[in-house]
Amino acid sequence: MHKRAVHEVFTILPPHAIVGCFQGPIMSFFTAARPRTSSLPNETLVAIFDGLAPSVLGDIARVSRRFNAVAERMLYASISITDSLSASSPYPAKTLRCCRSMLSRPHLVEVIKRLQIRWQGDFRTLEPQDLVVACLQVGVAFRCLAFLEGLDIFLGPANRTVVPSQPIHAVERILQGCQFPYLRYCSLGAEWAKDVQPYTTILPAFLSLVPSLRQLKLSDNHAALILAPDALPSLSYFRGSPDTAAFLLPGRPVHHLALIGQDSDVNRENLPKIALTSVPLRSLDLSAMQVRPQLLRSISKYLPDIENLKVRLALRHTLHYSLSGSTLLAALSPALHDFHHLVSFDLSPTEINSIQQANFAEEATLCTEWLRACPTLRRIVFPSGTEWQLADDGTDWLVG
């Protein structure tokens, strides 16, 4: 094909389409095209390389120094690592290898924006001291990541091993001494049991040094979390236990809340505190727990401004053998009556194996009944996964 024709084709194709054309022999293409691409600006190479698998980017980085400079920065911008731990492989080798690589490339520190680490394995086959040393080594690399914007750490069995001489949570071993002034998203946790090492004062100290944080997830903290009143001034989303939420939310602009644990953990002691956010709490996600209908009545009392509610109903606690699924769902009307701003009611996380799946006629009837109980409703998603939207004129429900 004539060179000018090739240029015209590449001009009209989006970068991802160009990449798709060469996904098989892509390395041969880039190697052969190296002399002709040397004059392209870095922004164009980034657009062409965008969407390629990390393994392909790694190969491209070996084509030339120019390609290496671009591909390497893209590889390090977003890092995701998963390590499987066992008696024969007790160390998180991939994580430690990545940390050594980061320390040996200080010129890439400002490039690393998102970092995800996942450890998994059976804690009964692991030596406690092995993971203690690994966490400390990871922490050395983390203290260099001053430009990090997103952090996701789940250390699996690392906190299930008891180290009496060093009472500190595994996640805190990594975060101690770290400062991420640009961090906007943070998810922390490890496997949890009643006898594991709880978080200490290191976690609150760390959170006090991330003023830009918008989203926070704590999967294994089920106790109080005491922060200074001016900490986390921009926090808008929190996912964690009700007791932690009761200490974290008051005075902060959280408008989206996702709770974990048991529905019995949500009670009259922590609900009033959860309601003390500096802005109205608009969205509540209860899909991570089995919820009994009576809890919805309590929530409507303390959180009256909820607009979006996602629930996983605990049908096994309330289902009588003589009731159909639609009859049980109709019993939710009194609870919905107490929500005065509810727009979206999502029941899709509810398991329907033990109940009769409702048909369209039954769901349409429920939509009409629930609208009478809660006139602000505009969207309903049933356990069947069917989504219903109220028509613009407010006279009929339509399948979305």
Side-chain angles (χ1 to χ4, degrees):
M1 186 181 294
H2 193 273
K3 180 165 49 176
R4 185 173 182 178
V6 172
H7 173 76
E8 292 176 354
V9 171
F10 273 59
T11 300
I12 63 175
L13 285 176
H16 292 289
I18 297 174
V19 169
C21 296
F22 300 99
Q23 191 64 49
I26 194 166
M27 284 312 304
S28 299
F29 163 71
F30 279 123
T31 302
R34 180 175 56 184
R36 297 189 295 277
T37 57
S38 60
S39 61
L40 291 176
N42 286 345
E43 292 79 7
T44 302
L45 291 178
V46 170
I48 294 173
F49 297 165
D50 186 32
L52 292 177
S55 58
V56 178
L57 281 174
D59 291 335
I60 290 175
R62 290 190 286 271
V63 171
S64 68
R65 290 184 179 179
R66 176 78 187 288
F67 280 16
N68 177 274
V70 176
E72 189 178 53
R73 291 176 71 87
M74 296 179 67
L75 278 170
Y76 278 84
S78 181
I79 301 173
S80 180
I81 305 169
T82 298
D83 269 304
S84 296
L85 310 177
S86 64
S88 59
S89 182
Y91 288 96
K94 294 179 182 178
T95 303
L96 296 178
R97 186 163 56 248
C98 179
C99 289
R100 289 193 295 269
S101 181
M102 289 189 292
L103 290 172
S104 66
R105 293 169 170 81
H107 61 286
L108 294 177
V109 166
E110 65 180 21
V111 175
I112 303 174
K113 304 296 185 181
R114 294 172 295 277
L115 180 57
Q116 180 186 70
I117 293 178
R118 286 279 188 274
W119 294 354
Q120 55 193 23
D122 187 347
F123 75 97
R124 292 168 294 186
T125 65
L126 303 171
E127 289 294 332
Q129 196 60 36
D130 290 342
L131 294 182
V132 168
V133 173
C135 289
L136 294 175
Q137 291 175 340
V138 173
V140 173
F142 270 45
R143 285 192 281 276
C144 300
L145 305 180
F147 297 89
L148 204 63
E149 297 177 2
L151 178 62
D152 186 344
I153 303 176
F154 185 77
L155 298 185
N159 204 49
R160 298 288 298 274
T161 52
V162 180
V163 187
S165 61
Q166 298 173 305
I168 177 176
H169 193 285
V171 169
E172 293 177 320
R173 297 183 196 280
I174 293 177
L175 296 181
Q176 190 171 23
C178 293
Q179 295 187 34
F180 305 129
Y182 303 105
L183 196 68
R184 298 170 62 87
Y185 170 86
C186 184
S187 178
L188 307 173
E191 293 177 5
W192 185 84
K194 291 184 177 180
D195 58 344
V196 300
Q197 168 64 41
Y199 288 97
T200 67
T201 57
I202 295 175
L203 177 61
F206 166 76
L207 293 176
S208 298
L209 297 175
V210 285
S212 299
L213 195 67
R214 300 291 183 86
Q215 300 183 44
L216 175 62
K217 298 181 180 181
L218 295 175
S219 64
D220 64 337
N221 186 71
H222 299 270
L225 186 62
I226 309 298
L227 296 176
D230 58 347
L232 302 181
S234 302
L235 190 68
S236 61
Y237 172 95
F238 176 70
R239 175 184 171 88
S241 71
D243 285 339
T244 302
F247 282 89
L248 190 66
L249 268 60
R252 295 186 171 87
V254 177
H255 56 77
H256 187 121
L257 174 64
L259 295 177
I260 62 175
Q262 306 295 325
D263 73 338
S264 57
D265 297 334
V266 187
N267 52 54
R268 295 179 179 179
E269 293 182 3
N270 50 41
L271 267 176
K273 297 177 182 178
I274 289 174
L276 296 177
T277 51
S278 61
V279 299
L281 193 61
R282 302 294 189 187
S283 181
L284 180 62
D285 187 345
L286 301 176
S287 61
M289 60 175 62
Q290 297 277 357
V291 176
R292 289 168 289 188
Q294 54 265 38
L295 177 58
L296 298 182
R297 300 294 297 271
S298 298
I299 289 174
S300 66
K301 176 181 178 181
Y302 292 102
L303 305 175
D305 295 309
I306 293 294
E307 297 177 0
N308 303 288
L309 182 60
K310 190 172 186 177
V311 178
R312 181 185 181 189
L313 286 176
L315 297 182
R316 69 175 185 269
H317 296 298
T318 56
L319 181 63
H320 189 272
Y321 72 93
S322 63
L323 296 179
S324 69
S326 60
T327 304
L328 177 62
L329 294 178
L332 294 176
S333 295
L336 293 177
H337 180 270
D338 296 328
F339 287 96
H340 303 299
H341 300 279
L342 191 64
V343 175
S344 175
F345 186 39
D346 187 350
L347 293 169
S348 61
T350 303
E351 298 174 357
I352 61 174
N353 295 334
S354 60
I355 68 173
Q356 174 186 347
Q357 185 171 348
N359 58 35
F360 279 3
E362 291 175 329
E363 291 182 349
T365 300
L366 284 170
C367 286
T368 301
E369 182 176 340
W370 287 349
L371 183 61
R372 285 197 296 266
C374 182
T376 58
L377 268 179
R378 295 296 181 267
R379 174 179 178 267
I380 299 172
V381 186
F382 285 92
S384 64
T386 306
E387 180 178 339
W388 293 78
Q389 298 272 358
L390 186 64
D392 292 338
D393 58 8
T395 59
D396 197 13
W397 287 90
L398 305 174
V399 177

